[in-house]
Every structure is written in C-alpha cells, then in structure tokens.
Amino acid sequence: MADDQEMVRTGFRLILDAQPGITVIGEAADGAECVEAARRLRPDVCLVDVRMPRLDGLEVTRVLAGPEAAVPLRVVIVTTFDQDDYLYTAMRHGACGFLLKDAGPGLLVEAVRAAARGDALVSPAVTVRLLARLGEQRHRPAARAGAALTGRETDVVRLVAVGRTNQEICQELFLSLSTVKTHLASVQSKLGVRNRVEIAAWAWDTGAVSSR
C-alpha cells in the first residue's frame, strides 16, 4: 500500500488484513518508496494513491505496470479525486483498478481480489463516462482487430464497455459464467489486451460501442 497519509494506510490495513486470503506485506509513504518496496517484495497487488511526494501514483503505475516494465505488477489506484484525466492516465499506464477512497470497505476488498485474479474493477459510472468521452474525441480506426471477434464475443465486449459485470453479462446474454470467462479470455488474446478495462477502451476507441 502506498499513501502519504498514515491514517489511510492504517485503515486499509485493518480492512484488508481481516479478509481471508489477503495479507498486507508492505507500506510506503511516497511514490519512490513504493517502487522500491514493490520491486523488492513483489506483491500480488499494489494499492497506490495518486497524489504522493517524490513520485505520484500515476508515474508509479507506469513504472510498475506499464509497457516498459520487465515483469509488470498489478496496480490499483485508490484516490480521493474523481478526475477523468487521472483514470485515463492510470488506465493507459497499465492500472487494473481505479477506486475512490469513499467507495467503502467492500469495494476495496473486491478491487484487490479482482486485481489478484487478473481482472479489473473500476467504478462503472466513471468508466462509462470517461470511455464514452474518449470515443467521441478520438479518431476511430477501422475495427481491424475486432474483425477476428465472433458475434458473441462482440456482444460480450459491448456489455463490458458499458460497465456490466460478468454475472450481469451472463443474465443478459443467457450464458453460463464459465462461457463468459472463456469469451473474455479469447477477446483478450485476439485484441492483445490485459484486462476488461482495456477491452472497454478498445470498444470505445474503435466504435464497437457508441455513447447513448
């Protein structure tokens, strides 16, 4: 965990250490300390604040999870600030989660578990708002990678892009959970992306889904 406020770190530790299967193995009070500790301890998940001394959380994310990271770590941004530019930059730098500090203990735990299993948790409302805006602002290339997607995979991608969970996708498409997971794994492989946040970004960028 990296946060410059000791009270925040203490609160997160109390919440997470009380959960079965989760152990906090290190803390950092600034970004540079976070990078050093993460490289040394190799945690399954890093919880990182955005505004920290020496190195901010977005740069920490780029260093630990970005394309240039030799062995990327899973980073979840936890911040007070609900800002589109923070989410956009964190996502592009490889973050697999974006959570507001007032989201509550349940979402904090779920964000950690999602990251640990290679999934992502971002507030659906925040995700859809940002990605819809990106889709409107960016030039949409032809869906070259999407040409390889099956019709059902495209259906799954569109629902991911508007913030549906796996269980909600099951209900809307009348599929089993294992089938949805299989489709998502296939989509990630075909598109060359790492998680559902990047799937959603691809969908908005290419026009596979449009804002309503």
Side-chain angles (χ1 to χ4, degrees), residues 37-106:
R39 286 173 168 170
R40 174 169 45 86
L41 298 171
R42 305 299 302 177
D44 294 318
V45 179
C46 302
L47 289 180
V48 179
D49 187 21
V50 172
R51 297 186 179 180
M52 294 187 294
R54 295 211 287 169
L55 204 64
D56 68 45
L58 300 176
E59 182 62 13
V60 168
T61 303
R62 186 191 67 78
V63 172
L64 295 180
E68 298 179 4
V71 184
L73 292 171
R74 293 162 180 162
V75 176
V76 175
I77 292 289
V78 186
T79 180
T80 304
F81 305 98
D82 181 8
Q83 295 183 202
D84 287 351
D85 58 332
Y86 283 174
L87 174 56
Y88 175 71
T89 303
M91 182 176 65
R92 295 304 183 194
H93 284 352
C96 61
F98 189 95
L99 197 65
L100 298 178
K101 287 182 179 178
D102 62 2

Side-chain angles (χ1 to χ4, degrees), residues 176-187:
S176 68
L177 184 58
S178 62
T179 299
V180 170
K181 290 181 177 179
T182 297
H183 285 319
L184 287 173
S186 176
V187 168

Side-chain angles (χ1 to χ4, degrees), residues 4 10 14 21 45 54 57 68 76 81 87 90 98 101 120 123-125 137-138 148 155 179 193 202 210-211:
D4 60 345
T10 299
L14 288 172
V45 179
R54 295 211 287 169
E68 298 179 4
V76 175
F81 305 98
L87 174 56
F98 189 95
K101 287 182 179 178
S123 168
Q137 293 175 349
R138 294 169 64 92
D155 291 339
T179 299
V193 299
W202 176 89
S210 59
S211 57

Side-chain angles (χ1 to χ4, degrees), residues 59-206:
E59 182 62 13
V60 168
T61 303
R62 186 191 67 78
V63 172
L64 295 180
E68 298 179 4
V71 184
L73 292 171
R74 293 162 180 162
V75 176
V76 175
I77 292 289
V78 186
T79 180
T80 304
F81 305 98
D82 181 8
Q83 295 183 202
D84 287 351
D85 58 332
Y86 283 174
L87 174 56
Y88 175 71
T89 303
M91 182 176 65
R92 295 304 183 194
H93 284 352
C96 61
F98 189 95
L99 197 65
L100 298 178
K101 287 182 179 178
D102 62 2
L107 273 180
L108 176 67
V109 172
E110 182 51 36
V112 171
R113 295 198 185 282
R117 63 177 180 260
D119 208 337
L121 189 152
V122 179
S123 168
V126 174
T127 304
V128 172
R129 184 184 75 239
L130 173 68
L131 295 178
R133 185 173 304 167
L134 291 177
E136 294 168 356
Q137 293 175 349
R138 294 169 64 92
H139 294 294
R140 290 173 175 171
R144 53 192 181 280
L149 299 183
T150 67
R152 186 55 87 188
E153 287 170 350
T154 301
D155 291 339
V156 171
V157 165
R158 287 171 177 161
L159 291 177
V160 168
V162 294
R164 298 293 193 273
T165 66
N166 284 358
Q167 194 59 52
E168 288 169 339
I169 293 172
C170 291
Q171 295 169 356
E172 292 195 34
L173 298 181
F174 303 101
L175 299 173
S176 68
L177 184 58
S178 62
T179 299
V180 170
K181 290 181 177 179
T182 297
H183 285 319
L184 287 173
S186 176
V187 168
Q188 287 179 207
S189 176
K190 289 179 178 180
L191 299 183
V193 299
R194 292 178 294 179
N195 53 53
R196 69 195 301 118
V197 177
E198 293 183 0
I199 290 174
W202 176 89
W204 286 104
D205 284 349
T206 60

